[in-house]
Structure formats: structure tokens, C-alpha cells
Amino acid sequence: MSGILVGVLLVCAVALRVWRRRGRRAAGEPRPAGGLGPFSGDVGLVAAREVRERFRARIFRVGTLIILVVVAAAIVIPKVEATKAGPQRVGVVGVLGPRLEKTVVASAESVGASVRFSPEPDQASAERALRAGRLDLVIVDRSKIVVNAAIGASDTSTTALLARAVSQALGDAEAVEAAHLSPSQATALSGARPLPVRSLQPSKPTGAAQTTSVIGLILIFVMLSQYNTWILMGVMEEKSSRVIEVLLAAVRPVRLLAGKVLGIGIVAFAQAALIVCFALVLAEAVGSDLLRGTAPLVVASTLLWLVLGYAFYCWVYAAAGSLAERQDQVQTLAFPLSLPAIFGYIMGLTAAGSQNASLFFKVLAYLPPTAPFAMPVLVGLKVVTWWEFAASAAISLACTVAVARLAGTIYRRAILRTGRRVPLREAFARGAR
Amino acid sequence: MGALLELEGLRRRFGEVTALDGLSFSVPAGQVAGFLGPNGAGKTTAMRAVFGLTDLDEGTVRWNGAPVGQADRRRFGYMPEERGLYPGMVVGEQLEYLGRLHGMRADAARAAAGAWLERLGVADRAQSKVETLSHGNQQRVQLAAALVHDPELLILDEPLAGLDPAGIDTIGGVLAEQARSGRCVLFSSHQLDQVEDLCESVTIIDHGRLVASGRVDDLTTAGERRLVVRVEGDREGAWARGLDGVTVSEVDGGAARLVLSPAVDSDSVLKAAMAAGRVTEFAFRRRRLSEVFREALA
């Protein structure tokens, strides 16, 4: 995963270097002073300033800390809950008998639970224990089952699964008894095994991959929202503080924008890498299964789409920031821009939760604004091939190039119009350099 | 021959407003040049055009005879009218950053930033954030930002606005030093009379057109004679208002500023003043730049 991150950064650095060299050649400019590294020259200086100022900002450090705490909670709490979950406490009013006790234990095992029986003097005291949470389920006189909360058809809690299984098993036992079968017939019936079921589709992902998908989705959404806001606010502040005029006397607009996007991108991925490394180490330390099975693939996919999502959205938000002059204008612009991301995020959560990817959701995985949210979920659900994944990434990269060119034009034309919000029509028209 | 900035036939319209209307003038090296005109005259648009910060409908900006390019602009220093610095960034680092953007190495930029802060009297604020500085100190830092890379051409848009006399003296001294060292220095102001002592030459514009241009001495000594006469007991200068060939251009604190037509003898004016009361002031004055401006438009 870290390898992917480093690889992407290297590709970006090489692409940037080639672009800078071509730009200088086209403009007939001398090579700027400041070393030979890919981040030297004006683009590198602008990027380095962004990195330095972001890392210094208290809000960045506090924000990172909050994200780490949330990630830690997401890893540790399920593990603690799983450890805490003991056997289901089954109250028994009347006599159950060894055979039916065995039946109940077998039923519990069939749903992955264990039971502990607790004799109750009467139904009233058993119900009081149910209400108080001391019991999960009560069997009354071998003839009925009482639970505290009503069990719906979609309830998949352990108590609900156990209640259904015990209800079925005790009903079967009562029917066998009423049929007056011979002991051998009764044994044959009670020993019945369900037929194996084979599915044509691959098996559903493990709970770990599903949870990792959801955590990754939340991470992509939160981090993209944060980085996009940085870009939007950063561009707007440079414009409103007029520092842009001083900068543009020395740097061309597109190179200034490239430096800004690169700098914030470096900070963003450093933060993402820190969070992922922290999650990996913590998950290993507490023995969480969040990163087992197909989950590592989901993590890698999440990181890659975080990079691709940032690459796509950063240009859009930079162009929007150049159109704004004040904070309130930024908020007005930010809301419509965030709608595709919010839509993709909600659709992603729905698909990951239901473990079902509709055709519509699969289409979203090929659209650059929603692909960062849809594709990692499809990876988690194991319903996407490598070439489909690559095709989606290629579409996203191609659209990013187009969006970057368009954003560069808007930025160049809008950044020097001060005093009011610049309508898009004017930004595309002939205007400031 | 020294460096030379030439603006030739600049035209720029913003919708219905004509900001520049065929403006042409040049700024030679070695002298402080004032770029004057009332608010909205087109000064800022012309200065922005030098840095490519606004498109021109027509016209060319030349530096040493060739059209100005991005490489030239890296050797220019600019102080915009709306001050432009990162409010939350430390002063010293900000100057170093701007120096490096103009092509300086890190150590040279750092040294130059320190030297300029020292020269402008704000060295003790090098580690402060810009937003914590007073208006005057922000102005000094802004000037340091324009100077840090040792520019060949210095363009300052309203550098004296809002400054106290000490600030004006400091900045005026720096501009004179820069000009003496052979650089081109152009600064704008809408307060024509305030900058008279700072400039050796001026270009005065209005509605995007050239109104007057030349050396300050030549402009202020040309035209009709000016007399300032103070007569006790007549604070309105009423005694002079009926004199033939004499115009009262203004009365300031009881002193009447008179413009004499060529045929008028100053002795006759003195006699008229003495007849009105005790004369406590009687002196010839040069034309003010505001008068040059008004008379050129008349």
C-alpha cells in the first residue's frame, strides 16, 4: 500500500518535471535557480510553502489527531465488543429435559452462538429478568419463547437468530413427539442435516472486507472534503488578500496553481499514509480481522482512489476558488461541487451495507466524480475484475487531464478579477491574463 | 544608456469604462518618477499592464526597447495598491519566499530580507506574522517584498497612502537611493502635491490619457506667476478679487494664492494689498502639481 503511494507520488513528480521543462522551452525561459530536484523552481517553491504552512497549522495537527482517534475507535471498539459478547442467557421456566437442552444448544451452535441456561421460578420473574437485561431469551414450559424486544424479519442480531432457531427446533421436537414415532425414527429425524447449497456467484465478502470498505469509504469522503476545502480556501485567500498580484509578477498562473495543488496533495497523502500506517499497526496489535482476507486489497484500492479522487477534484475546486472573492461566496460554490461526492458516498455506503452492487452503482464506478467512492466498494464486494478497475482508473486520469486544462484556463482568467464573484461566462471570455 | 521603461499607446476598456485611452510615456533610469492623477485616472491599470496582470486592447510595454516578457518581470519589483502578503505567514520567511520566486538562492534571499527589514526599521518584527503588524509596518514589509530581489525596475502603486510623516520620509529615502543607484523607479499617487518633493519627474494622467509629463522643475516653474499674499484683517482675500489680471486660486489660512496674468505688475498687487491692511506675507511661489494638472485640463 505504501508502495502504491510512493509510486503515485513518483509518477506525479516525473510528470511535473516533464511539464515544467516543456513549459520553459515553450516560453524560452531560463531554468529557475534553486537546485535540481523535481520540486525546485517556482512550482516547487510554491508547493514547499504550502507543505510548510499546512504542517505548521494547529488546525491540521488537531484534525489529524481527531481522525486518528476515530480510526482507532473503529478498529478497537468492534474487537472489544466481540470479546465482551458472551453466551446467550436462556431462562427456563418449567423443565426442559436433557434432550431438548441438547436441541437448544445445537440450535445455538447453528447460528454461531453458545447458551447458558438459567432456571426461573415462574414466567413473571423470568420476564422481569428479560426486561432488566439479565436474560436474552426465555423458554416457558417447553411451549413458548419470550424475548424482550419484538424481532423483525430483517433482524440479524444473535438473539434474533437464536430465537428463530430455537423456536423452529422446539416446534420440530414437539411435532415429533406428537407423531408418536419410534425411537429410531425420532433419532433419524432429529439427526437430519440440511442439504448443501451451491451458489453460481462467488461467495459474499467476509465481514472484515465489508467493514474495511465502509471505513475506507468514510476516509475517502472525509479526506477529499478536507483537501478540497483547503484548495478552495487557499485560492480564494490568495485572491482576496491580493498576494496573488505579487506572486503573478514572478510566477505564471498555471505554475502557481500547479504548485498549490502539488503542495496540498503532498500534505494530504502524508496525512493519509500516516492514518493508514497507524490503522495497520493498531489492527495488528489488537488482533483485529479488519485487514484480513480481501481487506488489504480494499485498503490498497481505497488509497489509490483517494489519490485519483484528489487529482480530479483538486482542479475543480481550484477553479471554483478563483471565481470567489469572499468566504460566503466560497460556501455558495462549494455546495453544488460537493453534491457528486455526497451522492457517490451515500450510494457507496448503501452498496457496502447491503453487499449488493446494482447496475447503476457499477456505472457510477466509471464516472470520475463518483468512481473514488464506488470502485473501492466494488473491490470489497469482489464484483470487479482487474481490467474493469484499470479502465475506470484510466477514464478518471483522462478526465483529470481535461479538467486540469479547463481549470487552468478559468483560474488564469478569473484570479485577477477582484471586487466581486466572477461568473463562469466571464471566466471563459477574454479577460485578465 | 541607462535602462528604460516605455509604455506606448496603451488602451484598455472594462465594459463601458475606458481605463486607458492611448496612454504613452516612458520612465528613464536614475530618477524617481511620479505617476500622478486623480482616483480612477488609470494609474493602477497601467502599472498592472507592466506586470501582465491585465490584458491590453492595444499598445505595448517595452523594457530596454523589447516587449516585456516573464523573464523580465522576474527582475521587476512591484508593490500593488491593495497590499498583497500572506496575513498568517511570518515576515522574514515571506520575504525569503518572494525573493526565491524571483530567482534568488535561499541564503541570498534570507540575507536580503534581513537587510531590507533592518533598513526599513522593522527588523524586530522578522519573526512576527504579517497580520500582527500595524498598517505602517505592513507597508514597510510590502516595500521590502518589492525590493528583496534587487529589482532593476521598481513600480509602487500608492506607496505613501496612509503613512505618517516618518513613514513617508523612510520610503521616500529608499526610493531616492534606488534611483541614485541607477534603477528605474515609478510610483503612483492621487495626492499630487504631497509627492512633489519626492519626484524628479512626473507623468500626470486623467481618464486614461496623458495630461502632462516632464521634470518637476520644468513643470512647476512654467506658466503664470504665483503670489501668496497675507493681509491682516482679510482672511478671505477679498481685497484681491477685483484686481485686473489677478485670479484668486485659493485662500488657505488667511493667505491668498494669486495667479498673475503676464501683463500684471506685482508692484501694483503689493500696493493694493497694503491699501487693504498690513501685509504680513508677500512671496512668489512655484506652480503646484495640482495646478499643473488643472491648468492642463482647462
Side-chain angles (χ1 to χ4, degrees):
Chain A
M1 280 152 284
S2 302
I4 289 175
L5 191 65
V6 171
V8 169
L9 287 176
L10 279 175
V11 168
C12 289
V14 170
L16 181 71
R17 189 168 175 76
V18 171
W19 179 38
R20 282 175 49 223
R21 194 172 287 168
R22 280 184 52 196
R24 265 205 306 273
R25 208 177 293 146
E29 287 175 26
R31 182 196 193 88
L36 299 170
F39 301 126
S40 64
D42 46 14
V43 173
L45 285 169
V46 174
R49 194 201 78 86
E50 289 293 338
V51 171
R52 195 172 52 242
E53 294 300 310
R54 301 283 163 189
F55 278 140
R56 276 183 187 168
R58 177 179 289 182
I59 193 165
F60 172 76
R61 296 200 295 260
V62 172
T64 306
L65 197 63
I66 290 173
I67 295 175
L68 290 177
V69 169
V70 171
V71 168
I75 292 171
V76 173
I77 290 174
K79 184 70 187 169
V80 171
E81 285 298 316
T83 312
K84 263 173 38 184
Q88 289 283 298
R89 294 152 304 178
V90 177
V92 179
V93 178
V95 180
L96 198 56
R99 191 168 60 82
L100 287 183
E101 274 188 10
K102 226 168 115 181
T103 302
V104 171
V105 169
S107 302
E109 283 170 356
S110 71
V111 296
S114 60
V115 294
R116 190 178 67 216
F117 293 106
S118 167
E120 295 295 324
D122 53 46
Q123 187 171 342
S125 65
E127 287 179 1
R128 275 198 300 278
L130 265 181
R131 285 196 190 92
R134 293 195 301 275
L135 293 176
D136 299 303
L137 181 145
V138 173
I139 301 169
V140 181
D141 296 330
R142 303 164 60 176
S143 58
K144 66 179 172 190
I145 292 166
V146 184
V147 291
N148 187 31
I151 293 173
S154 60
D155 192 342
T156 55
S157 66
T158 309
T159 302
L161 295 175
L162 178 66
R164 287 194 199 102
V166 170
S167 164
Q168 183 67 46
L170 291 183
D172 290 348
E174 194 178 60
V176 166
E177 204 172 297
H180 302 293
L181 300 177
S182 67
S184 60
Q185 287 172 320
T187 306
L189 268 179
S190 64
R193 292 279 175 268
L195 293 175
V197 178
R198 186 177 69 85
S199 63
L200 296 176
Q201 300 290 331
S203 64
K204 291 286 185 189
T206 62
Q210 185 192 3
T211 312
T212 309
S213 271
V214 172
I215 292 175
L217 200 56
I218 294 170
L219 195 70
I220 286 184
F221 182 72
V222 169
M223 297 186 93
L224 277 186
S225 300
Q226 177 179 298
Y227 307 149
N228 290 333
T229 305
W230 286 355
I231 295 268
L232 194 65
M233 295 299 293
V235 171
M236 187 276 292
E237 280 170 2
E238 274 178 358
K239 184 179 178 182
S240 64
S241 71
R242 304 294 197 271
V243 72
I244 194 77
E245 296 197 12
V246 176
L247 299 175
L248 291 184
V251 188
R252 288 190 299 158
V254 173
R255 297 174 66 78
L256 181 64
L257 180 60
K260 191 164 205 65
V261 163
L262 179 67
I264 291 180
I266 289 170
V267 177
F269 299 125
Q271 189 188 44
L274 171 71
I275 291 165
V276 168
C277 290
F278 172 76
L280 289 171
V281 170
L282 187 66
E284 193 62 36
V286 301
S288 167
D289 57 358
L290 284 181
L291 298 168
R292 300 195 198 292
T294 55
L297 199 61
V298 176
V299 172
S301 156
T302 299
L303 268 180
L304 181 66
W305 279 100
L306 181 62
V307 175
L308 294 174
Y310 173 77
F312 177 80
Y313 274 108
C314 68
W315 300 106
V316 178
Y317 276 77
S322 69
L323 297 174
E325 180 74 19
R326 299 188 312 270
Q327 182 97 19
D328 59 317
Q329 292 171 348
V330 162
Q331 282 159 357
T332 309
L333 284 164
F335 178 66
L337 290 180
S338 64
L339 286 178
I342 292 172
F343 179 68
Y345 173 62
I346 292 172
M347 294 300 291
L349 281 182
T350 308
S354 66
Q355 297 196 42
N356 182 33
S358 65
L359 178 63
F360 178 64
F361 186 72
K362 287 177 180 169
V363 171
L364 293 183
Y366 293 91
L367 304 178
T370 48
F373 307 99
M375 192 48 84
V377 173
L378 293 186
V379 171
L381 293 175
K382 295 203 291 188
V383 292
V384 66
T385 60
W386 70 266
W387 63 265
E388 287 172 328
F389 186 94
S392 173
I395 291 170
S396 186
L397 281 173
C399 287
T400 297
V401 172
V403 167
R405 292 174 73 96
L406 187 64
T409 304
I410 294 173
Y411 178 84
R412 190 160 43 82
R413 291 181 171 171
I415 195 68
L416 291 168
R417 304 281 191 90
T418 54
R420 66 189 171 88
R421 195 179 130 190
V422 182
L424 264 180
R425 188 166 45 81
E426 282 186 28
F428 281 112
R430 183 177 174 280
R433 185 182 71 112
Chain B
M1 194 182 93
L4 181 71
L5 176 72
E6 296 167 288
L7 289 79
E8 189 179 303
L10 305 191
R11 286 185 197 280
R12 180 69 168 111
R13 284 182 69 83
F14 295 103
E16 295 301 307
V17 178
T18 301
L20 299 176
D21 191 6
L23 180 67
S24 298
F25 68 95
S26 60
V27 183
Q31 55 181 251
V32 177
F35 189 32
L36 312 177
N39 288 325
K43 302 185 297 295
T44 297
T45 305
M47 289 179 145
R48 286 163 63 99
V50 174
F51 288 91
L53 299 176
T54 188
D55 275 343
L56 290 170
D57 299 326
E58 279 179 43
T60 316
V61 179
R62 290 199 180 86
W63 174 245
N64 292 335
V68 171
Q70 187 68 23
D72 295 317
R73 291 188 183 111
R74 286 164 70 96
R75 301 195 305 272
F76 295 171
Y78 181 46
M79 179 175 178
E81 181 182 14
E82 302 265 5
R83 305 304 173 221
L85 292 170
Y86 289 105
M89 197 171 171
V90 170
V91 167
E93 288 180 6
Q94 185 145 204
L95 295 182
E96 183 187 332
Y97 171 63
L98 292 172
R100 295 198 68 194
L101 281 183
H102 281 89
M104 298 178 83
R105 303 201 74 87
D107 50 353
R110 200 173 306 124
W116 276 113
L117 291 176
E118 187 74 42
R119 168 71 181 82
L120 292 166
V122 279
D124 58 329
R125 305 309 300 272
Q127 297 306 315
S128 304
K129 288 184 177 177
V130 170
E131 63 195 357
T132 65
L133 269 55
S134 67
H135 172 79
N137 282 345
Q138 286 194 25
Q139 199 98 316
R140 289 163 197 250
V141 172
Q142 189 79 55
L143 178 62
L147 289 162
V148 70
H149 56 287
D150 196 19
E152 295 172 12
L153 166 68
L154 190 58
I155 291 189
L156 315 171
D157 198 354
E158 300 278 358
L160 308 176
L163 283 183
D164 58 20
I168 291 175
D169 287 347
T170 305
I171 290 185
V174 169
L175 299 189
E177 270 175 27
Q178 291 291 307
R180 275 202 299 276
S181 64
R183 283 154 179 79
C184 266
V185 179
L186 178 72
F187 79 96
S188 73
S189 177
H190 66 279
Q191 293 172 303
L192 281 69
D193 296 332
Q194 189 190 36
V195 300
E196 207 172 299
D197 296 337
L198 293 177
C199 308
E200 290 159 75
S201 68
V202 292
T203 295
I204 304 177
I205 68 167
D206 187 41
H207 292 101
R209 288 190 294 268
L210 186 69
V211 170
S213 185
R215 297 186 63 81
V216 173
D217 282 347
D218 298 339
L219 291 171
T220 54
T221 53
E224 295 172 323
R225 292 162 297 160
R226 264 78 180 159
L227 258 180
V228 173
V229 184
R230 189 187 299 269
V231 176
E232 255 184 19
D234 186 350
R235 294 189 61 78
E236 303 304 319
W239 64 271
R241 293 189 192 273
L243 298 176
D244 283 342
V246 176
T247 308
V248 180
S249 68
E250 64 176 61
V251 180
D252 183 17
R257 188 174 177 89
L258 311 178
V259 180
L260 311 186
S261 65
V264 173
D265 180 2
S266 56
D267 288 352
S268 64
V269 177
L270 178 58
K271 282 177 190 163
M274 290 171 69
R278 196 162 77 91
V279 176
T280 57
E281 186 177 354
F282 187 88
F284 283 98
R285 292 278 190 268
R286 286 152 54 123
R287 277 203 302 179
R288 290 178 183 150
L289 288 176
S290 56
E291 289 171 321
V292 173
F293 175 72
R294 276 199 298 271
E295 287 164 19
L297 286 183

